[in-house]
Amino acid sequence: MVSCMMRQSDEKHILGTASTEILLWSSRRDLIAVSNSSGEVFLRRLSWSKVWKLPKRGDGIKITAIVWRPDSVVLAVGYSSGHVVLVDVESGEVVHTFNPCGEPITALSWENCSTSLKEEADNFLLPELLPQPSKVNSSKLDAGSALNGDKGLKHEELLSILWIGLKNGLIYGFAFGLFPCCLLKLSEMSGGSNSIGAVRSVFPNGDHSQLCLLADVRAGSSEVLLMTVETPLITHCLKELYGLGFLYRQITGLMDCLISAQKALQEAWEDALVDLESKMVRYESNDGKSSLSVDLMELLMFGHAGIKLEKFLVTDLTDKGLKRIGQAVELSYSNMQKLLIKHIVCANYQLSHYLTQLCGLAKQEDRFSCLGLQVNSCLAAYRAAGSFTAKTAELQQVIDGSVKYLKTFFRWLYVTILRLSDETIPPELATSTQQDVRFIANFLAKDFETDGQVRLDRIGQYLRNEPLTFVASSKTRPWDMLVEACPSIAHLQDSDLFQPRAERSLAQEFAHLEHQVKASFEAIPSAVGQTASLPFITDLTLDCPQDSVDKIRITTRSINQPKDMCNLLGLTNSTTHSSGFYLFEFASEKERKNLTRAAFFSFGKCDHLPPGEYKIADIQFYNNEIMSVLLSIERSANSIFVQLSLGLLREQLAPIVSRRGPFNSFHSDVFVSSVFSQGNLRSVDVNTLIEASSFRVLNDFQATALGLSSSRKVAAIFSSSKRKVRIFDMEVEEEEDEDQDIEDVSDLSHGMF
């Protein structure tokens, strides 16, 4: 049995105006996540030193839940705005943000499946391609971290599911914290007679076949519902969900890469042309009757510039300005070509690879159709990726043509400005061929103006989410050239072909690709959720104001031992200083499936604690064997930290049945006991009590909240003002604790018999 001796190691004062609200120790590291009333999250070490801070998302947005990923590599933070933010613990960077449906987050739970599925999933997945392209930082073209750098969300051998409870009674399951794989609608599952409100707690068992829930009956009520939900399809399809989750991570990561690359492409194009286009527009605005393209064409054909054009070229544009702009344009075009080839083309090639795998999985209907994966929607996403590829190739040709045209045009314009300025013309620029003249004339006639506005190239239209203003000839589009060269393609069905639309821009093709990728996965959560059942449901009326239900203390523990598989839930009314707590046990092993036991434990008569009237401030499960209770003493500045044996508590539990109706501590279905009363303790072995129970008096410290970590053997206890925190080392040896005041640390056996 674990020793419950404790020794204070530190005491810290918390600065600032915001009060602490949530604190949660990591199960594997000496780290604690702390949120405050301002909407900030701090990660602190055992010494309480700050590691990083996650700033608030906006005014009035509160943090409603925090949970660690089981391996403590990622921290999930839920907000009242409905957003869930995944933070890399090592760097403090946000690696993913999503909003399930816009409703406030009220509960988070993140659990692993008990068995590794990676090798089994590898059997039906193709090998990975080369490392994915880097995610481009749009503000700095050459910067960017590799997509594989999102290590907090990669390569988990165990299938972990992040369960999210919402204020409207919905529960979402996200595999690996990213892939939406389950949606539970509690109101529909309960028959729809009552609208179920906010989900206060959700915790699964080891194989995710069962969820234990605590939810409001409806808004503004002090009545809550205890439920168990069976999700057999998740257990049956763990390998399939693992494979789909892997593909979803790869696909969404590549989509993010494409988004960032397109932003960088847009910036590179704007940097190249904004200067020169603005000058051309000013020329047009001076005289609505004339046209710059017409004036330049006359200059090219007849060698004569009008007074207005000459003034514009020599004074406004100038040879030095044109040379600087030409160099900027050339550099920008080079960057755009690099972005297309190294990022967009590469990422889309790999995206097509993973979408091909998704289509292959969808065709295994005996395994994946029950999950809602449909062949047609997956094929539509794959064809959309092909259409995006074709449009990318078309844009590459446009860029190559623009580079050729613009170089010739800039050289001619530069020589013209030098001639008009009576400057010396370099010998290498003094001559021009007839082909150059045709290039410039064609450029001025077709590419220089679009819809009455000056456009120096046709690239910008591909980057806007609107139809192209100038559609390229079918003789220059790569896809049309392929169809013309291979007449046999025309005999294929439309469903087997990529379908690039000539009038669509690159941005439109990508928007279509995004929609189709989303559609290929969107049926999965509902399909899995519809197979869930609700075998157990019962009411519990809390003795607290209706507007304080969201402040009740809830603690959960999942025990997955061979002969003891169950979920435990502790519940107390800290808002009204309850004198007791509820303990519920939901069995999950096959022999005791859906067996639920409960009891209400009262601290009304505590003969072996210091005298006083006790109220519970907080409760937490320390480990599988011990439950920790924080007591406040009426009309006293002291508090008491109590460690109770879970084995002793569970012996007092009595079965309850699934039903609706009044359910409170005075109902006959619930066994009400006082764990410190002589009558009840006599039925338990004295030696067990001596080893399993202890308490400590916290002098001159009105405690209000607990933070426990059994793996690190540490406890953090906050004062009532939440401005002071005491750190305790747990399970210290008795000889290490000999300097402590004997009256402060006591064993429950002292003075009992």
Side-chain angles (χ1 to χ4, degrees), residues 441-456:
N442 188 54
F443 173 72
L444 291 174
K446 295 182 178 180
D447 296 344
F448 194 75
E449 288 183 330
T450 304
D451 295 336
Q453 293 185 349
V454 174
R455 303 291 185 195
L456 296 185

mmCIF file with all atom_site columns, all heavy atoms in Angstrom, residues 441-456:
data_model
loop_
_atom_site.group_PDB
_atom_site.id
_atom_site.type_symbol
_atom_site.label_atom_id
_atom_site.label_alt_id
_atom_site.label_comp_id
_atom_site.label_asym_id
_atom_site.label_entity_id
_atom_site.label_seq_id
_atom_site.pdbx_PDB_ins_code
_atom_site.Cartn_x
_atom_site.Cartn_y
_atom_site.Cartn_z
_atom_site.occupancy
_atom_site.B_iso_or_equiv
_atom_site.pdbx_formal_charge
_atom_site.auth_seq_id
_atom_site.auth_comp_id
_atom_site.auth_asym_id
_atom_site.auth_atom_id
_atom_site.pdbx_PDB_model_num
ATOM 1   N N   . ALA A 1 441 ? 4.656   43.262 -79.431 1.00 0.00 ? 441 ALA A N   1
ATOM 2   C CA  . ALA A 1 441 ? 3.358   43.620 -79.988 1.00 0.00 ? 441 ALA A CA  1
ATOM 3   C C   . ALA A 1 441 ? 2.276   42.672 -79.487 1.00 0.00 ? 441 ALA A C   1
ATOM 4   O O   . ALA A 1 441 ? 1.163   43.099 -79.131 1.00 0.00 ? 441 ALA A O   1
ATOM 5   C CB  . ALA A 1 441 ? 3.427   43.603 -81.522 1.00 0.00 ? 441 ALA A CB  1
ATOM 6   N N   . ASN A 1 442 ? 2.587   41.377 -79.447 1.00 0.00 ? 442 ASN A N   1
ATOM 7   C CA  . ASN A 1 442 ? 1.621   40.389 -78.949 1.00 0.00 ? 442 ASN A CA  1
ATOM 8   C C   . ASN A 1 442 ? 1.321   40.605 -77.468 1.00 0.00 ? 442 ASN A C   1
ATOM 9   O O   . ASN A 1 442 ? 0.173   40.485 -77.011 1.00 0.00 ? 442 ASN A O   1
ATOM 10  C CB  . ASN A 1 442 ? 2.175   38.985 -79.187 1.00 0.00 ? 442 ASN A CB  1
ATOM 11  C CG  . ASN A 1 442 ? 1.149   37.905 -78.887 1.00 0.00 ? 442 ASN A CG  1
ATOM 12  O OD1 . ASN A 1 442 ? 0.041   37.921 -79.427 1.00 0.00 ? 442 ASN A OD1 1
ATOM 13  N ND2 . ASN A 1 442 ? 1.506   36.984 -78.008 1.00 0.00 ? 442 ASN A ND2 1
ATOM 14  N N   . PHE A 1 443 ? 2.357   40.960 -76.722 1.00 0.00 ? 443 PHE A N   1
ATOM 15  C CA  . PHE A 1 443 ? 2.198   41.213 -75.285 1.00 0.00 ? 443 PHE A CA  1
ATOM 16  C C   . PHE A 1 443 ? 1.309   42.427 -75.045 1.00 0.00 ? 443 PHE A C   1
ATOM 17  O O   . PHE A 1 443 ? 0.393   42.402 -74.215 1.00 0.00 ? 443 PHE A O   1
ATOM 18  C CB  . PHE A 1 443 ? 3.571   41.417 -74.653 1.00 0.00 ? 443 PHE A CB  1
ATOM 19  C CG  . PHE A 1 443 ? 3.533   41.850 -73.209 1.00 0.00 ? 443 PHE A CG  1
ATOM 20  C CD1 . PHE A 1 443 ? 3.152   40.978 -72.209 1.00 0.00 ? 443 PHE A CD1 1
ATOM 21  C CD2 . PHE A 1 443 ? 3.874   43.148 -72.851 1.00 0.00 ? 443 PHE A CD2 1
ATOM 22  C CE1 . PHE A 1 443 ? 3.117   41.378 -70.885 1.00 0.00 ? 443 PHE A CE1 1
ATOM 23  C CE2 . PHE A 1 443 ? 3.840   43.557 -71.531 1.00 0.00 ? 443 PHE A CE2 1
ATOM 24  C CZ  . PHE A 1 443 ? 3.459   42.663 -70.550 1.00 0.00 ? 443 PHE A CZ  1
ATOM 25  N N   . LEU A 1 444 ? 1.542   43.516 -75.780 1.00 0.00 ? 444 LEU A N   1
ATOM 26  C CA  . LEU A 1 444 ? 0.746   44.738 -75.614 1.00 0.00 ? 444 LEU A CA  1
ATOM 27  C C   . LEU A 1 444 ? -0.696  44.533 -76.065 1.00 0.00 ? 444 LEU A C   1
ATOM 28  O O   . LEU A 1 444 ? -1.626  45.102 -75.479 1.00 0.00 ? 444 LEU A O   1
ATOM 29  C CB  . LEU A 1 444 ? 1.383   45.885 -76.401 1.00 0.00 ? 444 LEU A CB  1
ATOM 30  C CG  . LEU A 1 444 ? 2.724   46.405 -75.878 1.00 0.00 ? 444 LEU A CG  1
ATOM 31  C CD1 . LEU A 1 444 ? 3.312   47.433 -76.840 1.00 0.00 ? 444 LEU A CD1 1
ATOM 32  C CD2 . LEU A 1 444 ? 2.563   47.011 -74.491 1.00 0.00 ? 444 LEU A CD2 1
ATOM 33  N N   . ALA A 1 445 ? -0.880  43.723 -77.081 1.00 0.00 ? 445 ALA A N   1
ATOM 34  C CA  . ALA A 1 445 ? -2.220  43.534 -77.615 1.00 0.00 ? 445 ALA A CA  1
ATOM 35  C C   . ALA A 1 445 ? -3.068  42.596 -76.757 1.00 0.00 ? 445 ALA A C   1
ATOM 36  O O   . ALA A 1 445 ? -4.284  42.785 -76.647 1.00 0.00 ? 445 ALA A O   1
ATOM 37  C CB  . ALA A 1 445 ? -2.128  42.990 -79.053 1.00 0.00 ? 445 ALA A CB  1
ATOM 38  N N   . LYS A 1 446 ? -2.450  41.603 -76.134 1.00 0.00 ? 446 LYS A N   1
ATOM 39  C CA  . LYS A 1 446 ? -3.234  40.564 -75.456 1.00 0.00 ? 446 LYS A CA  1
ATOM 40  C C   . LYS A 1 446 ? -3.059  40.542 -73.936 1.00 0.00 ? 446 LYS A C   1
ATOM 41  O O   . LYS A 1 446 ? -3.997  40.236 -73.203 1.00 0.00 ? 446 LYS A O   1
ATOM 42  C CB  . LYS A 1 446 ? -2.861  39.191 -76.012 1.00 0.00 ? 446 LYS A CB  1
ATOM 43  C CG  . LYS A 1 446 ? -3.223  39.011 -77.475 1.00 0.00 ? 446 LYS A CG  1
ATOM 44  C CD  . LYS A 1 446 ? -2.877  37.606 -77.942 1.00 0.00 ? 446 LYS A CD  1
ATOM 45  C CE  . LYS A 1 446 ? -3.274  37.403 -79.410 1.00 0.00 ? 446 LYS A CE  1
ATOM 46  N NZ  . LYS A 1 446 ? -2.934  36.035 -79.875 1.00 0.00 ? 446 LYS A NZ  1
ATOM 47  N N   . ASP A 1 447 ? -1.852  40.794 -73.452 1.00 0.00 ? 447 ASP A N   1
ATOM 48  C CA  . ASP A 1 447 ? -1.565  40.575 -72.032 1.00 0.00 ? 447 ASP A CA  1
ATOM 49  C C   . ASP A 1 447 ? -1.452  41.844 -71.204 1.00 0.00 ? 447 ASP A C   1
ATOM 50  O O   . ASP A 1 447 ? -1.383  41.779 -69.982 1.00 0.00 ? 447 ASP A O   1
ATOM 51  C CB  . ASP A 1 447 ? -0.244  39.794 -71.876 1.00 0.00 ? 447 ASP A CB  1
ATOM 52  C CG  . ASP A 1 447 ? -0.340  38.403 -72.462 1.00 0.00 ? 447 ASP A CG  1
ATOM 53  O OD1 . ASP A 1 447 ? -1.475  37.957 -72.685 1.00 0.00 ? 447 ASP A OD1 1
ATOM 54  O OD2 . ASP A 1 447 ? 0.703   37.782 -72.700 1.00 0.00 ? 447 ASP A OD2 1
ATOM 55  N N   . PHE A 1 448 ? -1.394  42.999 -71.848 1.00 0.00 ? 448 PHE A N   1
ATOM 56  C CA  . PHE A 1 448 ? -1.090  44.212 -71.100 1.00 0.00 ? 448 PHE A CA  1
ATOM 57  C C   . PHE A 1 448 ? -2.296  44.749 -70.356 1.00 0.00 ? 448 PHE A C   1
ATOM 58  O O   . PHE A 1 448 ? -2.171  45.284 -69.264 1.00 0.00 ? 448 PHE A O   1
ATOM 59  C CB  . PHE A 1 448 ? -0.537  45.270 -72.052 1.00 0.00 ? 448 PHE A CB  1
ATOM 60  C CG  . PHE A 1 448 ? 0.122   46.421 -71.338 1.00 0.00 ? 448 PHE A CG  1
ATOM 61  C CD1 . PHE A 1 448 ? 1.366   46.263 -70.762 1.00 0.00 ? 448 PHE A CD1 1
ATOM 62  C CD2 . PHE A 1 448 ? -0.500  47.647 -71.253 1.00 0.00 ? 448 PHE A CD2 1
ATOM 63  C CE1 . PHE A 1 448 ? 1.970   47.314 -70.098 1.00 0.00 ? 448 PHE A CE1 1
ATOM 64  C CE2 . PHE A 1 448 ? 0.105   48.709 -70.595 1.00 0.00 ? 448 PHE A CE2 1
ATOM 65  C CZ  . PHE A 1 448 ? 1.343   48.542 -70.021 1.00 0.00 ? 448 PHE A CZ  1
ATOM 66  N N   . GLU A 1 449 ? -3.478  44.637 -70.917 1.00 0.00 ? 449 GLU A N   1
ATOM 67  C CA  . GLU A 1 449 ? -4.690  45.164 -70.302 1.00 0.00 ? 449 GLU A CA  1
ATOM 68  C C   . GLU A 1 449 ? -5.744  44.076 -70.196 1.00 0.00 ? 449 GLU A C   1
ATOM 69  O O   . GLU A 1 449 ? -5.855  43.216 -71.068 1.00 0.00 ? 449 GLU A O   1
ATOM 70  C CB  . GLU A 1 449 ? -5.248  46.339 -71.116 1.00 0.00 ? 449 GLU A CB  1
ATOM 71  C CG  . GLU A 1 449 ? -4.420  47.595 -71.013 1.00 0.00 ? 449 GLU A CG  1
ATOM 72  C CD  . GLU A 1 449 ? -5.069  48.738 -71.777 1.00 0.00 ? 449 GLU A CD  1
ATOM 73  O OE1 . GLU A 1 449 ? -5.756  48.469 -72.776 1.00 0.00 ? 449 GLU A OE1 1
ATOM 74  O OE2 . GLU A 1 449 ? -4.888  49.883 -71.365 1.00 0.00 ? 449 GLU A OE2 1
ATOM 75  N N   . THR A 1 450 ? -6.511  44.147 -69.114 1.00 0.00 ? 450 THR A N   1
ATOM 76  C CA  . THR A 1 450 ? -7.625  43.224 -68.913 1.00 0.00 ? 450 THR A CA  1
ATOM 77  C C   . THR A 1 450 ? -8.795  44.011 -68.346 1.00 0.00 ? 450 THR A C   1
ATOM 78  O O   . THR A 1 450 ? -8.662  44.646 -67.295 1.00 0.00 ? 450 THR A O   1
ATOM 79  C CB  . THR A 1 450 ? -7.245  42.092 -67.930 1.00 0.00 ? 450 THR A CB  1
ATOM 80  O OG1 . THR A 1 450 ? -6.086  41.431 -68.432 1.00 0.00 ? 450 THR A OG1 1
ATOM 81  C CG2 . THR A 1 450 ? -8.376  41.096 -67.804 1.00 0.00 ? 450 THR A CG2 1
ATOM 82  N N   . ASP A 1 451 ? -9.930  43.983 -69.018 1.00 0.00 ? 451 ASP A N   1
ATOM 83  C CA  . ASP A 1 451 ? -11.130 44.684 -68.571 1.00 0.00 ? 451 ASP A CA  1
ATOM 84  C C   . ASP A 1 451 ? -10.867 46.166 -68.325 1.00 0.00 ? 451 ASP A C   1
ATOM 85  O O   . ASP A 1 451 ? -11.336 46.756 -67.344 1.00 0.00 ? 451 ASP A O   1
ATOM 86  C CB  . ASP A 1 451 ? -11.692 44.045 -67.293 1.00 0.00 ? 451 ASP A CB  1
ATOM 87  C CG  . ASP A 1 451 ? -12.172 42.631 -67.549 1.00 0.00 ? 451 ASP A CG  1
ATOM 88  O OD1 . ASP A 1 451 ? -12.491 42.326 -68.722 1.00 0.00 ? 451 ASP A OD1 1
ATOM 89  O OD2 . ASP A 1 451 ? -12.212 41.849 -66.591 1.00 0.00 ? 451 ASP A OD2 1
ATOM 90  N N   . GLY A 1 452 ? -10.047 46.796 -69.166 1.00 0.00 ? 452 GLY A N   1
ATOM 91  C CA  . GLY A 1 452 ? -9.784  48.222 -69.045 1.00 0.00 ? 452 GLY A CA  1
ATOM 92  C C   . GLY A 1 452 ? -8.769  48.580 -67.990 1.00 0.00 ? 452 GLY A C   1
ATOM 93  O O   . GLY A 1 452 ? -8.431  49.744 -67.821 1.00 0.00 ? 452 GLY A O   1
ATOM 94  N N   . GLN A 1 453 ? -8.263  47.593 -67.260 1.00 0.00 ? 453 GLN A N   1
ATOM 95  C CA  . GLN A 1 453 ? -7.261  47.844 -66.227 1.00 0.00 ? 453 GLN A CA  1
ATOM 96  C C   . GLN A 1 453 ? -5.910  47.310 -66.684 1.00 0.00 ? 453 GLN A C   1
ATOM 97  O O   . GLN A 1 453 ? -5.824  46.320 -67.411 1.00 0.00 ? 453 GLN A O   1
ATOM 98  C CB  . GLN A 1 453 ? -7.656  47.183 -64.911 1.00 0.00 ? 453 GLN A CB  1
ATOM 99  C CG  . GLN A 1 453 ? -8.898  47.787 -64.271 1.00 0.00 ? 453 GLN A CG  1
ATOM 100 C CD  . GLN A 1 453 ? -9.168  47.168 -62.914 1.00 0.00 ? 453 GLN A CD  1
ATOM 101 O OE1 . GLN A 1 453 ? -8.573  46.177 -62.544 1.00 0.00 ? 453 GLN A OE1 1
ATOM 102 N NE2 . GLN A 1 453 ? -10.064 47.786 -62.168 1.00 0.00 ? 453 GLN A NE2 1
ATOM 103 N N   . VAL A 1 454 ? -4.855  47.984 -66.238 1.00 0.00 ? 454 VAL A N   1
ATOM 104 C CA  . VAL A 1 454 ? -3.511  47.572 -66.614 1.00 0.00 ? 454 VAL A CA  1
ATOM 105 C C   . VAL A 1 454 ? -3.133  46.317 -65.849 1.00 0.00 ? 454 VAL A C   1
ATOM 106 O O   . VAL A 1 454 ? -3.194  46.273 -64.625 1.00 0.00 ? 454 VAL A O   1
ATOM 107 C CB  . VAL A 1 454 ? -2.505  48.706 -66.326 1.00 0.00 ? 454 VAL A CB  1
ATOM 108 C CG1 . VAL A 1 454 ? -1.084  48.237 -66.580 1.00 0.00 ? 454 VAL A CG1 1
ATOM 109 C CG2 . VAL A 1 454 ? -2.831  49.913 -67.172 1.00 0.00 ? 454 VAL A CG2 1
ATOM 110 N N   . ARG A 1 455 ? -2.773  45.265 -66.569 1.00 0.00 ? 455 ARG A N   1
ATOM 111 C CA  . ARG A 1 455 ? -2.272  44.021 -65.968 1.00 0.00 ? 455 ARG A CA  1
ATOM 112 C C   . ARG A 1 455 ? -0.996  43.646 -66.708 1.00 0.00 ? 455 ARG A C   1
ATOM 113 O O   . ARG A 1 455 ? -1.019  43.436 -67.918 1.00 0.00 ? 455 ARG A O   1
ATOM 114 C CB  . ARG A 1 455 ? -3.286  42.884 -66.116 1.00 0.00 ? 455 ARG A CB  1
ATOM 115 C CG  . ARG A 1 455 ? -4.643  43.183 -65.524 1.00 0.00 ? 455 ARG A CG  1
ATOM 116 C CD  . ARG A 1 455 ? -4.591  43.245 -64.012 1.00 0.00 ? 455 ARG A CD  1
ATOM 117 N NE  . ARG A 1 455 ? -5.917  43.412 -63.448 1.00 0.00 ? 455 ARG A NE  1
ATOM 118 C CZ  . ARG A 1 455 ? -6.150  43.784 -62.197 1.00 0.00 ? 455 ARG A CZ  1
ATOM 119 N NH1 . ARG A 1 455 ? -5.141  44.055 -61.390 1.00 0.00 ? 455 ARG A NH1 1
ATOM 120 N NH2 . ARG A 1 455 ? -7.380  43.907 -61.756 1.00 0.00 ? 455 ARG A NH2 1
ATOM 121 N N   . LEU A 1 456 ? 0.088   43.584 -65.996 1.00 0.00 ? 456 LEU A N   1
ATOM 122 C CA  . LEU A 1 456 ? 1.356   43.288 -66.653 1.00 0.00 ? 456 LEU A CA  1
ATOM 123 C C   . LEU A 1 456 ? 1.569   41.800 -66.875 1.00 0.00 ? 456 LEU A C   1
ATOM 124 O O   . LEU A 1 456 ? 2.515   41.407 -67.536 1.00 0.00 ? 456 LEU A O   1
ATOM 125 C CB  . LEU A 1 456 ? 2.514   43.862 -65.835 1.00 0.00 ? 456 LEU A CB  1
ATOM 126 C CG  . LEU A 1 456 ? 2.518   45.387 -65.723 1.00 0.00 ? 456 LEU A CG  1
ATOM 127 C CD1 . LEU A 1 456 ? 3.762   45.845 -65.015 1.00 0.00 ? 456 LEU A CD1 1
ATOM 128 C CD2 . LEU A 1 456 ? 2.422   46.023 -67.097 1.00 0.00 ? 456 LEU A CD2 1
#
